[in-house]
Structure formats: structure tokens, C-alpha cells
Amino acid sequence: MFGTLTMEAGIIRVLLVDDHAIARNGVSLMLGTAADICVGAQAASFDDATECIASEQFDVALIDIAMPGKSGLQLLQALRLARPGMGLMILSHYSEEIYGLRAFSLGASGYLSKDVSADVLVQAVRKVASGGKYVSPAMADQLAMVLAQGPVGAHENLSERELQVFQRLAAGQSLVQIGAALNLRPNTVTSYRARILKKMKMACNAELTRYALELGML
């Protein structure tokens, strides 16, 4: 937990959760351009974040997905139960096409890519803090398709861990590299690969890569 701060009423207090200090500092600077928004605390992990909300009140939590230990999506679920009135928004380098639908289904109020401008970030935080949802035009189209015809894309059938392995397989990483990155044994990664191919009805890694490229996941 880093740098807690108490602010007067009327200020939107943000909990910023990201395991990279540089990313946290960058987002803090962007939010600092708005007089009505303050980063009340920063957290580098699931445990840091839950410690923060146990002792402080926040209006919005900005959560990265990829973190050591429990993921941002697991934190999203935990915060939704612990603080049902708090606005929860994903801020990730992963595209909406990969995690957007999953995040909203778990209770997210918004989803932003880390390459977002300061103006859009501030606008999204204000909207979520007021009880609304921030949905980009692309995400709105995707949600509309889901309402009309069910989940879009074979990757939506994957579990969170399978999705993590899928992304790395599609990017050309070896079983050993994936195992090291996700703290898994290579034979466990092999088992995940087999399940992923079966669920997505594909035969090899090349098909996974082509699928990921077509959907702009890489």
C-alpha cells in the first residue's frame, strides 16, 4: 500500500491498483489534471488493495488485470462484494476484445486501455464515480452482439487461466516460457494447451495465432 491521503468532501477518491510503479505514477499524473479527482491510495497487489479498502473509503478503483498472485479480475470480484457501491474500472494494456465482456460480467463499471488519453480517463472516472458505466463505442457494439446472439468469439469459453495461456501461446511463447511467467509446470501448461485447443475447436498453435491476429489480440 502506498501514499494514502485524506481529501475533503466532493473530491473523487481513487484507489489505483497496478504492480508497476511507473504505470501507477503515470496514471496519477493524468488524474492530477482534474481538480475534482485524487488518487487516495496506490496498491501493487490483491492483498495491498484489500488492505486499503478495509481501512479507507474510495469512490472508484482503477484495476490492472495482470498482477502477481491473484489477478485484477479476482480483485474485481472481491471488491464488488466488499464495496458494492464503489465504481470499479479495469485499466489494462489488454484490449477490450480479450477481457472486456468478462470484466463487465464480473461487475466492472468500465474498461479502458492504458493508451487512453488523460481527458478520456478523467471523463470515465467521473462517470463511474457518479454511478454510471463507461463503455467505449467498440465495447458497446460487442455488448450489443452478446445480447442479440450470445458470447462473441471462441475465447469467451475459456477460463481466466486458460485465456492467459492462450494469449501467450498465440504470441509464440514456449511451454517453458509460459510456465515461468505464470508460475506453472510445463506439463501443466501442456494440459491447458490441450483444453484450449479443444474448447476453441482448433488443431495447433498456428490456428490460435491466426485467431488472435484476426481479433486484434496481439
Side-chain angles (χ1 to χ4, degrees):
M1 181 171 59
F2 306 87
T4 58
L5 180 65
T6 301
M7 298 295 290
E8 67 271 19
I11 297 295
I12 299 170
R13 299 192 75 245
V14 174
L15 170 62
L16 181 55
V17 188
D18 194 305
D19 62 318
H20 292 100
I22 292 177
R24 293 196 306 270
N25 292 338
V27 174
S28 293
L29 289 173
M30 292 169 73
L31 293 176
T33 62
D36 59 334
I37 299 175
C38 165
V39 176
Q42 298 183 25
S45 67
F46 180 102
D47 291 340
D48 282 346
T50 53
E51 181 182 339
C52 285
I53 67 161
S55 58
E56 299 183 66
Q57 294 293 322
F58 301 93
D59 303 296
V60 176
L62 286 176
I63 306 168
D64 188 21
I65 289 178
M67 295 189 293
K70 293 184 178 180
S71 73
L73 292 183
Q74 290 173 295
L75 176 61
L76 175 65
Q77 290 176 285
L79 295 185
R80 176 55 65 211
L81 291 174
R83 293 287 186 272
M86 183 166 59
L88 304 176
M89 185 155 49
I90 295 295
L91 181 62
S92 174
H93 67 271
Y94 293 129
S95 70
E96 293 172 320
E97 287 80 3
I98 303 176
Y99 281 109
L101 290 176
R102 196 174 302 246
F104 278 101
S105 71
L106 294 175
S109 300
Y111 194 109
L112 288 173
S113 171
K114 283 186 176 179
D115 60 4
V116 69
S117 68
D119 286 344
V120 172
L121 177 62
V122 167
Q123 175 189 355
V125 168
R126 286 172 176 159
K127 188 166 186 178
V128 169
S130 68
K133 292 186 181 296
Y134 182 85
V135 182
S136 71
M139 191 71 242
D141 289 343
Q142 198 172 1
L143 290 170
M145 290 180 67
V146 169
L147 290 174
Q149 61 189 39
V152 180
H155 68 281
E156 293 297 339
N157 295 319
L158 303 178
S159 69
E160 183 182 346
R161 179 63 89 183
E162 288 168 348
L163 188 56
Q164 291 173 334
V165 174
F166 156 72
Q167 287 178 269
R168 294 178 181 278
L169 287 170
Q173 293 187 11
S174 69
L175 299 181
V176 172
Q177 288 174 318
I178 296 171
L182 300 179
N183 196 26
L184 299 171
R185 295 178 183 273
N187 61 341
T188 302
V189 178
T190 300
S191 298
Y192 274 118
R193 176 182 176 276
R195 291 207 297 271
I196 291 165
L197 292 172
K198 182 177 181 180
K199 284 187 176 183
M200 297 184 70
K201 297 181 173 59
M202 296 180 184
C204 61
N205 289 8
E207 291 188 32
L208 297 177
T209 299
R210 183 171 65 250
Y211 176 93
L213 287 171
E214 289 175 351
L215 268 69
M217 292 182 169
L218 297 180

